Amino acid sequence: MTVAEPRSNARVRVRGPAKVPVPLDVNGSCHEVELEPRVSLLDALREHLDLTGSKKGCDQGTCGACTVWVDGRRVLACLTLAIAASGHEIVTIEGLADGEELHPMQRAFIEHDAFQCGYCTPGQIMSAVKLIEEGNAESDEDIKEFMSGNICRCAAYPNIRAAIRDVRDGAGGGV
C-alpha cells in the first residue's frame, strides 16, 4: 500500500473561531470588542481595552495578579472567558479610585509600603478590598487564609496585612 504524497501546491489554512462582538461593562463604561470566543477576560482588558493594571503573572490562576471583580465578586481574569463576563459589571484596579481620590486600600498600601516590585499589587488590592467586605479579615490568620490566592514574590506579606488591618480598623478611611 502506498501513501499519497501531499500536493506541494496545496495550502492548508488553519483558523480559530470567528470573532464575535462582545459587549463588556468595565469600570462603569460600556465597550464592544471583537473577540474570538476563547479570549480570556484578562487578554480582553489588557490587549483590547488598554487596561493594563491587571497583570498576567502565571496565566494559570495560581498567582492572583489578574484579580478583578465581576458583579462584586473577585475572579481571576486569566481563567475567565471575556464572553462569559459579557452582561456583568467588571471592575478593575483602574476603576477603584474615585477620580483622582485613591481608594482607602490604595492609600494604605502606599502608607504601609505594602509592595516591592508592584507587580502583584493590583490583584492584592482588589482582593484585599473584597476580603474586608466579605468579613474575612478578623485576624491575621484569616487575612493569610483568604489572601492565599494572591502571591507576592517579594514577600511583602507583613506590610500587606498591615495595610488590610489599617483599612479594616477604619484608620485608612474605611472601604
Side-chain angles (χ1 to χ4, degrees):
M1 178 186 271
T2 60
V3 177
E5 292 286 324
R7 294 188 315 196
S8 61
N9 62 353
R11 296 182 85 182
V12 177
R13 190 170 174 134
V14 179
R15 290 186 154 176
K19 290 183 179 183
V20 296
V22 179
L24 296 173
D25 177 7
V26 183
N27 300 329
S29 297
C30 294
H31 306 271
E32 187 167 295
V33 289
E34 293 281 325
L35 302 171
E36 290 184 358
R38 61 187 172 189
V39 171
S40 72
L41 178 57
L42 180 60
D43 287 342
L45 293 169
R46 291 183 59 79
E47 297 172 17
H48 297 274
L49 297 177
D50 293 323
L51 295 170
T52 57
S54 303
K55 303 301 183 207
K56 185 180 279 198
C58 66
D59 214 18
Q60 298 176 351
T62 59
C63 74
C66 65
T67 303
V68 298
W69 305 337
V70 175
D71 290 340
R73 296 181 58 220
R74 23 182 184 165
V75 300
L76 300 170
C78 73
L79 296 182
T80 305
L81 293 175
I83 201 164
S86 181
H88 299 276
E89 182 183 341
I90 302 160
V91 179
T92 69
I93 191 71
E94 291 91 346
L96 195 57
D98 184 10
E100 294 296 314
E101 180 68 25
L102 293 179
H103 185 278
M105 190 64 72
Q106 291 171 308
R107 288 193 311 268
F109 264 63
I110 293 168
E111 291 167 13
H112 290 279
D113 196 23
F115 50 88
Q116 296 294 311
C117 76
Y119 201 81
C120 72
T121 304
Q124 295 277 0
I125 290 172
M126 297 301 283
S127 282
V129 171
K130 286 301 170 185
L131 172 81
I132 293 172
E133 288 180 10
E134 295 161 358
N136 294 319
E138 300 220 358
S139 68
D140 274 6
E141 287 303 314
D142 287 342
I143 293 169
K144 285 180 192 176
E145 176 66 27
F146 288 96
M147 290 291 290
S148 64
N150 291 84
I151 296 172
C152 174
R153 288 176 176 85
C154 301
Y157 297 116
N159 301 20
I160 292 168
R161 286 191 299 274
I164 293 170
R165 286 191 308 267
D166 191 27
V167 175
R168 175 199 66 197
D169 297 341
V175 176

